[in-house]
Amino acid sequence: MTLPAPLTGVVPPVCTPLTPDNEVDTASLTRLVDHLVSAGVDALFVLGSSSEAAYLPDRHRRLVVDTVVRHVAGQLPVLAGAIDMTTLRVHDHVDAVTAAGADAVVVTAPFYTRTHPAEISRHFRAVAAHSPVPVFAYDQPVSVPLKLGTDLVAELASDGVIAGLKDSSGDEGAFRASLIATRGIPGFSVLTGSELTVDSALAMGAHGVVPGLGNVDPEGYVHLYRYAKDGDWDRARAEQERLCALFGMVGVGDAARMGGSSSALGAFKAALHLRGVIDCAATAVPQVPLSPSEVERVGKYLAAAGLL
Amino acid sequence: MTLPAPLTGVVPPVCTPLTPDNEVDTASLTRLVDHLVSAGVDALFVLGSSSEAAYLPDRHRRLVVDTVVRHVAGQLPVLAGAIDMTTLRVHDHVDAVTAAGADAVVVTAPFYTRTHPAEISRHFRAVAAHSPVPVFAYDQPVSVPLKLGTDLVAELASDGVIAGLKDSSGDEGAFRASLIATRGIPGFSVLTGSELTVDSALAMGAHGVVPGLGNVDPEGYVHLYRYAKDGDWDRARAEQERLCALFGMVGVGDAARMGGSSSALGAFKAALHLRGVIDCAATAVPQVPLSPSEVERVGKYLAAAGLL
Amino acid sequence: MTLPAPLTGVVPPVCTPLTPDNEVDTASLTRLVDHLVSAGVDALFVLGSSSEAAYLPDRHRRLVVDTVVRHVAGQLPVLAGAIDMTTLRVHDHVDAVTAAGADAVVVTAPFYTRTHPAEISRHFRAVAAHSPVPVFAYDQPVSVPLKLGTDLVAELASDGVIAGLKDSSGDEGAFRASLIATRGIPGFSVLTGSELTVDSALAMGAHGVVPGLGNVDPEGYVHLYRYAKDGDWDRARAEQERLCALFGMVGVGDAARMGGSSSALGAFKAALHLRGVIDCAATAVPQVPLSPSEVERVGKYLAAAGLL
Amino acid sequence: MTLPAPLTGVVPPVCTPLTPDNEVDTASLTRLVDHLVSAGVDALFVLGSSSEAAYLPDRHRRLVVDTVVRHVAGQLPVLAGAIDMTTLRVHDHVDAVTAAGADAVVVTAPFYTRTHPAEISRHFRAVAAHSPVPVFAYDQPVSVPLKLGTDLVAELASDGVIAGLKDSSGDEGAFRASLIATRGIPGFSVLTGSELTVDSALAMGAHGVVPGLGNVDPEGYVHLYRYAKDGDWDRARAEQERLCALFGMVGVGDAARMGGSSSALGAFKAALHLRGVIDCAATAVPQVPLSPSEVERVGKYLAAAGLL
């Protein structure tokens, strides 16, 4: 389907349910898609960071995008990450996800290698020239690890290279600068990857939101988005604060025993399992599983938020 | 062939010659291999950082390892990088390079994702269990970006998970700590990725050296290694200083116009082109090419070192 | 005077006007204070980062706080930075600024030395035990360079160690977490150091704002604060966006020639000079002065914002 | 006394013994000086990082330099750190330590503020113009946190701004580059701050060594320096490895409970106390003290090295 321009609303980055032996659990995946679609989300984003894209081999990636695109069957747009180190490798992922029917691709700056704004610009221009579908720039400094500059985003946007920005930087000042700098560009979409400042981002004029926590509580973000669109900032703030409390689950994992990814993605998956959406909470190797007592704490977050 | 244990000597990380349209130039690649082998190097390392592995799509990677393994035909060992974000993706690269005949694989800690020593340990253990050939840990903090701890290296070494360490951290104190900590482990090999402190590393007891600049001047490193083995530290130091001066070429690229990779790898390839080894100095997209005057400066470095 | 608890409103971090030979220009400083007070700000913060505290020797620091406290004469509260590397050095600054009459002190985590949350906690507890006036924690990761954790802030707040938080981290998700975590603590004040997300911070419940740009356009931030208090979020957003555009001045300095401090503080001082508030736009050594054409660009930002 | 040019040999950065209530223990300090002088060191460096300069208020700093200069009484040169954030603050420390009789000052790049090579150059030039004694540049990226570039060091050296470099970066490739770049400058001194690669540094041509561990085992470094000067690299290496093992003591402190400074400086002071040199092992607030069992482990390191 043709992507709306600008893309707006709630676009959850879809978790990738796995079996205990780290195969893609397509039955759970389609249940998760149903859980999200029935909550009223506006589009889906597969193969992003919350999808454990960095952990999925190419055959898993293909299975995920294929499963989701088929299951969604055009009801709403599917964006797909094409996450890899540099241009030619990204091209191959673009080919794979668009062959499967993705409606847009989401691409980071080059990583692993030391890079430069001029090279990042060349990278996005090459990917856009190669891609049959619109390209979203993915600003993910925790992973890449560099911040896309506002000037670069504005240049790529006004040249029609990118159709939108998915900003997971957590730097809301720079996010606003990118919003203002691209405001006059027809159809350009600015999405926040934050879970915690969605009301702020929408008040600034953000088009949409891509919250990992939206896997666990898609209705929450759908409500929050609607309150913001209605200008009901008091209810938006209250809903946001409820979600902030729920987001506390990302810290259940013992930092002496595991990294931030294991804890946060482990908590999202444990919550989806506790809510009955997916069959198994396993995260991909080499992530460390949550302990039973850590999973229990996830349950308490769910209960406190009225989700269990 | 069976990898010597410990692996010793000069093991250049082989550049990947490309055509102007970014295809692998296999004719130039085999000439480069001949240039290295005839200089007396002890093994070859393909698909590492100096090989632009981060820039090469899988089909390029396969062509490189296949071309080099076939051409070398067992004269000396070929190590191959299996550089990717996490475990299952690394498994696929291990399968590909070992199917082509690589004698060992070189693997970094996970990247793109936030990780933890416990997860790095699980990662190397899983890769080693999967790999039919020995695994070298690749400590590359500029890219990953984290430093492998000495305790972790020692644990993996003494458990037989890794057969060696390729340390490109530039932290010679930690390098020495790893050397000392693994000294009693039979067959374990500690290699420095430094171009500038090879004599120091060998004096400390390093088994070998993996210098990117060894593409340009393999004889230099072969001589340096021999002087060090002979305990002729004065000549080793003089040769090292000659190579330090030559290494200045990595800075020819204008930092306002390109990143460090474009400049350093561009200089190595320009030097190989000027020396008549490869047909084209192109680096992979999205790197920025050196300007003619920058290439001219590379030539001056070669001339000053007696290589042109 | 006794500090209001919580401290609320607009609290500009007062620039330190200097003579061409880097002495404190007290006449310009009192004019700057009048400029701020007459605009309706709620308190003043001297000797913070925007005051070039890091550049001022102790005698300059004393002259600044003494001049401002005397001139303000109790009309509004004066907070003073006690910026130094560790506890005992901070104690001396606390003694100096409170002897001069400062109503509160603003203190960072230790810097220069490698530190740990337990040590940061000890640091703030020791400073608070030593200080005769309330202590604000200053979260300034660009300088320190670490982020104060929400748990640590909440612990120090609930133990009565700190009276408030001045958050210049730019991480609005963490800012919100600190706001929520300290909400039940009577009198505790959470201030944002952002120039660009003040409306968002106030919508989240922030008590006040400490914008460096408030030197240049204090009326702007006073208006913005009032709109927010009145719940007039549309006008708040419009005013914020006008200030975002004005903030662009911090980038006038050529990054090839100077650091971010030289550019941003140079622009603020050039703007104050162009507006006739201070006699000389000099920044402290070793900062690089703006060129005439860079100053001209500052003037254009002022003109576009209706300030010249 | 006039500083030798170049300064050579072993120059320990003298720890600052404290009483339990964090006053300078001058009796222990003079005993520590005697311990170092009688071991045959070539000069003393007070008020550096190992001296806890970042933790000492100005009155402590004055007492330290005054005590040491008086006690040494011209037997050997005394260098003093003038560690502060920027130029004018450094000037005041230069005035204080030179009034007390320091023979040279040791100065870092500006910190706390975002800086630029042009500003660092201006900083050192201003300090050198102000200082009545030679200025050593202190490259301390862990603290500052930036690396002094080789080009900048070479420029300052050849312009006579700095008399030497004290390199604690741990980057031995860059260290060598600085050595080579300044080799032709008469009297210029390049010192390594490493504890672990002293033999390497001396083999490269370093003039001297400033090891924190030299407080604990000054004879070790004096022997190591002598072996290196004699070209007896085998004994140098053996002595260096003995010192590497001893240096393991810096890791005794539990990283879950304290920072790296508390652990390393706490271990050095515990060792000096166990060896009977100083009366009390206290480190300055807010550092966390070692536990009794951690101190016991320090004792085991001493015993293993034959020092207890």
Side-chain angles (χ1 to χ4, degrees):
Chain A
M1 66 181 297
T2 304
L3 199 73
L7 178 68
T8 60
V10 177
V11 188
V14 185
C15 284
T16 306
L18 298 174
T19 65
D21 55 346
N22 271 242
E23 294 298 321
V24 177
D25 173 356
T26 55
S28 288
L29 178 56
T30 56
R31 277 205 305 280
L32 173 54
V33 167
D34 290 340
H35 163 73
L36 299 171
V37 172
S38 68
V41 305
D42 299 281
L44 298 174
F45 171 36
V46 298
L47 302 182
S49 302
S50 296
S51 319
E52 298 175 89
Y55 296 91
L56 303 180
D58 287 351
R59 65 191 172 86
H60 283 27
R61 291 190 183 195
R62 279 192 297 269
L63 185 53
V64 165
V65 67
D66 201 57
T67 302
V68 172
V69 168
R70 277 171 197 268
H71 189 70
V72 165
Q75 298 171 76
L76 35 78
V78 178
L79 294 79
I83 308 298
D84 216 315
M85 295 170 243
T86 60
T87 312
L88 298 181
R89 295 186 65 79
V90 169
H91 285 182
D92 287 350
H93 295 292
V94 168
D95 291 347
V97 298
T98 56
D103 302 302
V105 291
V106 183
V107 173
T108 69
F111 55 92
Y112 187 85
T113 180
R114 292 169 296 162
T115 191
H116 182 277
E119 292 159 357
I120 301 172
S121 176
R122 290 163 67 96
H123 173 67
F124 279 111
R125 288 173 190 279
V127 172
H130 181 89
S131 175
V133 299
V135 176
F136 279 63
Y138 191 177
D139 192 15
Q140 175 79 337
V142 167
S143 301
V144 169
L146 59 77
K147 171 97 191 72
L148 292 181
T150 295
D151 289 351
L152 178 59
V153 168
E155 171 205 308
L156 295 173
S158 72
D159 288 355
V161 175
I162 55 175
L165 171 69
K166 194 263 186 183
D167 183 330
S168 296
S169 71
D171 178 342
E172 302 302 325
F175 179 76
R176 179 166 232 155
S178 293
L179 262 173
I180 294 174
T182 58
R183 190 172 285 162
I185 298 169
F188 192 78
S189 178
V190 180
L191 312 173
T192 179
S194 172
E195 276 96 355
L196 303 174
T197 59
V198 169
D199 55 344
S200 307
L202 294 171
M204 288 176 187
H207 301 88
V209 47
V210 190
L213 185 65
N215 284 279
V216 177
D217 188 7
E219 288 87 355
Y221 285 99
V222 168
H223 293 159
L224 170 48
Y225 183 77
R226 194 175 311 142
Y227 298 145
K229 288 295 105 178
D230 294 346
D232 187 349
W233 297 110
D234 287 342
R235 293 182 79 181
R237 173 180 161 176
E239 187 66 10
Q240 175 65 80
E241 292 194 359
R242 191 185 62 79
L243 290 161
C244 287
L246 182 63
F247 188 69
M249 73 170 58
V250 301
V252 296
D254 178 1
R257 224 168 41 85
M258 69 183 73
S261 239
S262 293
S263 179
L265 298 178
F268 291 167
K269 287 184 148 182
L272 287 168
H273 183 239
L274 289 169
R275 297 199 73 192
V277 180
I278 67 176
D279 282 343
C280 166
T283 50
V285 284
Q287 291 172 93
V288 172
L290 297 182
S291 71
S293 71
E294 289 165 346
V295 171
E296 200 179 306
R297 288 184 57 208
V298 172
K300 288 181 181 163
Y301 279 100
L302 289 175
L307 296 175
L308 206 67
Chain B
M1 65 182 298
T2 304
L3 200 71
L7 179 67
T8 60
V10 177
V11 187
V14 185
C15 284
T16 305
L18 298 174
T19 65
D21 55 346
N22 271 241
E23 294 297 323
V24 177
D25 173 356
T26 54
S28 289
L29 178 56
T30 55
R31 276 204 305 279
L32 174 55
V33 167
D34 290 340
H35 163 73
L36 299 171
V37 172
S38 68
V41 305
D42 299 282
L44 297 175
F45 171 36
V46 297
L47 302 182
S49 302
S50 297
S51 319
E52 299 174 89
Y55 296 91
L56 302 181
D58 288 350
R59 64 191 173 86
H60 283 27
R61 292 191 181 195
R62 279 192 297 269
L63 185 53
V64 165
V65 67
D66 201 57
T67 302
V68 172
V69 168
R70 278 171 195 269
H71 188 70
V72 165
Q75 298 172 77
L76 34 79
V78 177
L79 294 79
I83 308 299
D84 216 315
M85 294 170 244
T86 61
T87 313
L88 298 181
R89 295 188 64 79
V90 170
H91 286 182
D92 287 350
H93 295 292
V94 168
D95 291 347
V97 299
T98 56
D103 302 302
V105 292
V106 184
V107 173
T108 70
F111 54 93
Y112 187 85
T113 181
R114 292 170 295 161
T115 192
H116 182 276
E119 293 159 357
I120 301 172
S121 175
R122 289 163 67 97
H123 173 68
F124 279 110
R125 289 173 190 279
V127 171
H130 181 88
S131 175
V133 298
V135 176
F136 279 64
Y138 191 178
D139 192 15
Q140 174 79 338
V142 167
S143 301
V144 169
L146 58 77
K147 173 98 191 70
L148 293 181
T150 295
D151 289 352
L152 178 59
V153 168
E155 170 205 309
L156 295 173
S158 72
D159 288 356
V161 175
I162 55 175
L165 170 69
K166 194 263 186 182
D167 183 330
S168 296
S169 70
D171 178 342
E172 302 303 327
F175 179 76
R176 179 166 231 153
S178 293
L179 262 173
I180 295 174
T182 59
R183 191 171 285 163
I185 300 169
F188 192 77
S189 178
V190 180
L191 313 173
T192 179
S194 172
E195 275 96 353
L196 303 175
T197 59
V198 169
D199 55 344
S200 306
L202 294 171
M204 289 177 188
H207 301 87
V209 47
V210 190
L213 185 65
N215 285 278
V216 178
D217 189 6
E219 287 88 354
Y221 285 99
V222 169
H223 292 160
L224 170 47
Y225 182 76
R226 193 174 314 142
Y227 298 144
K229 287 296 103 178
D230 293 346
D232 187 348
W233 296 110
D234 287 342
R235 293 181 80 180
R237 174 180 159 175
E239 187 65 10
Q240 175 65 82
E241 293 195 358
R242 192 184 61 79
L243 290 162
C244 288
L246 181 64
F247 189 68
M249 73 170 59
V250 302
V252 297
D254 178 2
R257 220 166 46 82
M258 69 183 72
S261 241
S262 294
S263 179
L265 298 178
F268 291 166
K269 286 184 149 183
L272 286 169
H273 183 239
L274 289 169
R275 294 199 75 192
V277 180
I278 67 176
D279 282 344
C280 166
T283 50
V285 285
Q287 291 171 93
V288 172
L290 298 183
S291 70
S293 71
E294 289 165 346
V295 171
E296 200 178 305
R297 289 184 56 208
V298 171
K300 288 179 180 165
Y301 279 101
L302 289 174
L307 297 175
L308 207 68
Chain C
M1 66 181 297
T2 305
L3 200 72
L7 179 68
T8 60
V10 178
V11 188
V14 186
C15 284
T16 305
L18 298 174
T19 64
D21 54 345
N22 270 242
E23 294 297 322
V24 176
D25 174 355
T26 55
S28 289
L29 178 55
T30 55
R31 277 204 306 279
L32 174 54
V33 167
D34 290 341
H35 164 72
L36 299 171
V37 172
S38 67
V41 304
D42 298 281
L44 298 175
F45 171 36
V46 297
L47 302 182
S49 302
S50 296
S51 318
E52 297 173 89
Y55 296 92
L56 302 180
D58 287 351
R59 64 190 174 86
H60 283 26
R61 292 191 181 194
R62 280 192 297 269
L63 185 54
V64 164
V65 66
D66 201 59
T67 301
V68 172
V69 169
R70 275 171 198 268
H71 189 70
V72 164
Q75 297 171 76
L76 37 78
V78 177
L79 295 80
I83 309 299
D84 217 316
M85 293 168 246
T86 60
T87 313
L88 298 182
R89 296 188 63 82
V90 169
H91 285 181
D92 287 350
H93 294 292
V94 168
D95 291 347
V97 299
T98 56
D103 301 304
V105 293
V106 183
V107 173
T108 69
F111 54 93
Y112 187 84
T113 182
R114 291 170 294 162
T115 192
H116 182 277
E119 293 160 355
I120 301 172
S121 176
R122 290 163 66 96
H123 172 70
F124 278 111
R125 289 172 189 278
V127 171
H130 181 88
S131 174
V133 299
V135 175
F136 280 63
Y138 191 177
D139 191 14
Q140 175 79 339
V142 168
S143 300
V144 168
L146 58 77
K147 173 97 192 70
L148 293 181
T150 294
D151 290 351
L152 178 59
V153 168
E155 170 206 308
L156 295 173
S158 72
D159 289 356
V161 174
I162 55 175
L165 170 69
K166 194 263 186 184
D167 183 331
S168 296
S169 70
D171 178 341
E172 302 303 326
F175 180 77
R176 178 166 233 154
S178 293
L179 261 173
I180 294 173
T182 59
R183 191 172 283 163
I185 299 169
F188 192 78
S189 179
V190 181
L191 313 173
T192 178
S194 171
E195 275 96 353
L196 304 175
T197 60
V198 169
D199 54 345
S200 306
L202 294 171
M204 288 177 187
H207 300 88
V209 47
V210 190
L213 186 64
N215 284 278
V216 177
D217 190 4
E219 287 88 354
Y221 285 99
V222 169
H223 293 159
L224 170 48
Y225 182 76
R226 194 174 311 143
Y227 298 144
K229 287 296 104 177
D230 293 347
D232 187 348
W233 297 110
D234 288 343
R235 293 182 79 181
R237 173 180 161 175
E239 187 66 10
Q240 176 66 81
E241 292 195 357
R242 191 184 62 80
L243 290 162
C244 288
L246 182 63
F247 189 69
M249 73 169 59
V250 303
V252 296
D254 177 3
R257 221 167 45 82
M258 69 183 73
S261 241
S262 293
S263 180
L265 298 178
F268 290 168
K269 286 183 148 184
L272 287 169
H273 183 239
L274 289 169
R275 296 198 74 193
V277 179
I278 68 175
D279 282 344
C280 167
T283 49
V285 285
Q287 291 172 91
V288 171
L290 298 182
S291 70
S293 71
E294 289 165 346
V295 171
E296 202 178 305
R297 289 184 56 208
V298 171
K300 288 180 182 165
Y301 279 100
L302 288 175
L307 296 175
L308 203 68
Chain D
M1 65 180 298
T2 304
L3 199 72
L7 179 69
T8 60
V10 178
V11 187
V14 186
C15 284
T16 305
L18 298 174
T19 64
D21 55 345
N22 270 243
E23 295 296 322
V24 176
D25 173 357
T26 55
S28 289
L29 179 55
T30 56
R31 277 204 305 279
L32 174 54
V33 167
D34 290 342
H35 164 72
L36 299 171
V37 172
S38 67
V41 305
D42 299 281
L44 298 174
F45 170 36
V46 297
L47 303 182
S49 302
S50 296
S51 318
E52 297 174 89
Y55 296 91
L56 302 181
D58 288 349
R59 65 190 174 85
H60 283 26
R61 292 192 182 193
R62 279 192 297 269
L63 185 54
V64 165
V65 67
D66 201 58
T67 301
V68 172
V69 169
R70 275 171 197 269
H71 189 70
V72 165
Q75 297 172 77
L76 37 78
V78 177
L79 294 80
I83 308 299
D84 216 316
M85 295 169 244
T86 60
T87 314
L88 299 181
R89 295 188 64 79
V90 169
H91 284 182
D92 287 352
H93 294 292
V94 168
D95 291 347
V97 300
T98 56
D103 301 304
V105 292
V106 183
V107 173
T108 70
F111 54 92
Y112 187 84
T113 181
R114 292 169 294 163
T115 192
H116 182 277
E119 293 160 357
I120 301 172
S121 176
R122 290 163 67 98
H123 173 70
F124 279 110
R125 289 173 189 278
V127 171
H130 181 89
S131 175
V133 299
V135 176
F136 279 63
Y138 190 177
D139 192 14
Q140 175 79 338
V142 168
S143 301
V144 168
L146 59 78
K147 173 99 191 71
L148 293 181
T150 295
D151 289 350
L152 178 59
V153 168
E155 170 206 308
L156 295 173
S158 72
D159 289 356
V161 174
I162 54 175
L165 170 70
K166 194 262 185 183
D167 183 329
S168 296
S169 70
D171 178 341
E172 303 303 327
F175 179 75
R176 178 167 235 154
S178 293
L179 262 173
I180 295 174
T182 59
R183 190 172 284 162
I185 299 169
F188 192 78
S189 179
V190 180
L191 313 173
T192 179
S194 172
E195 275 95 355
L196 304 175
T197 59
V198 168
D199 55 344
S200 307
L202 294 171
M204 289 177 189
H207 300 87
V209 47
V210 190
L213 186 65
N215 284 278
V216 177
D217 189 5
E219 286 87 356
Y221 285 100
V222 168
H223 293 159
L224 170 48
Y225 182 76
R226 195 174 311 144
Y227 298 144
K229 287 294 102 178
D230 293 347
D232 187 349
W233 296 111
D234 287 343
R235 294 182 79 181
R237 175 180 159 176
E239 186 66 10
Q240 175 66 80
E241 293 195 357
R242 192 185 61 80
L243 290 162
C244 288
L246 181 63
F247 188 69
M249 72 168 60
V250 302
V252 295
D254 177 2
R257 223 168 43 82
M258 69 183 73
S261 241
S262 293
S263 179
L265 298 178
F268 291 166
K269 286 184 148 182
L272 287 168
H273 183 239
L274 290 168
R275 297 199 72 193
V277 180
I278 68 175
D279 283 344
C280 167
T283 50
V285 286
Q287 291 171 92
V288 171
L290 297 182
S291 70
S293 72
E294 289 165 345
V295 170
E296 201 179 305
R297 289 185 56 209
V298 171
K300 288 180 181 165
Y301 279 101
L302 289 175
L307 296 175
L308 205 68

